Amino acid sequence: RGKALQPLFKMSYSCSKVGDPRPGHPYKGGNFCAFLPENTEGMKIAELLKRAFECGLTFQIKSCNGEERVTWGPIPHKTSWDGGKARNGYPDAQYLHEVGTVL
């Protein structure tokens, strides 16, 4: 597998804003971890993911059983080193190309 980048996002409790499912209501955060290969293409994607995060595109707030919580947004992330594409993991030969296109 080699070395891997592991972006870790920590989202705490906060209050939603206009455009969220229930503006002004609190939402539950969480820890989110994603994996990228430590190579030239992986580093390029890491920079794009950083910019997407700074623009508020990485996560979204969804209502689940009457509770608002932070979830992954529309940008695909690899949350496991194994399991293949079906389990958001590797191997997935097209992932870096696909996420690069989305970003």
Side-chain angles (χ1 to χ4, degrees):
R1 290 184 192 178
K3 294 181 179 179
L5 302 174
Q6 297 183 28
L8 175 64
F9 304 97
K10 290 186 179 184
M11 308 296 284
S12 60
Y13 286 88
S14 190
C15 202
S16 56
K17 58 187 183 297
V18 174
D20 291 332
R22 292 178 53 202
H25 289 80
Y27 60 84
K28 186 176 182 179
N31 293 324
F32 299 82
C33 189
F35 300 90
L36 291 169
E38 191 175 48
N39 59 29
T40 303
E41 195 173 2
M43 298 296 282
K44 178 183 169 187
I45 295 299
E47 264 308 306
L48 294 173
L49 287 171
K50 179 181 174 188
R51 282 195 232 151
F53 177 78
E54 291 168 349
C55 292
L57 302 173
T58 304
F59 299 99
Q60 58 192 3
I61 299 173
K62 286 189 175 178
S63 286
C64 182
N65 299 324
E67 177 182 69
E68 278 68 44
R69 62 177 47 241
V70 176
T71 63
W72 288 110
I75 299 168
H77 285 78
K78 289 297 179 187
T79 56
S80 175
W81 266 120
D82 50 30
K85 187 172 186 170
R87 295 182 185 253
N88 293 324
Y90 294 96
D92 182 352
Q94 296 301 310
Y95 173 69
L96 293 176
H97 174 73
E98 289 172 2
V99 73
T101 299
V102 169
L103 292 166

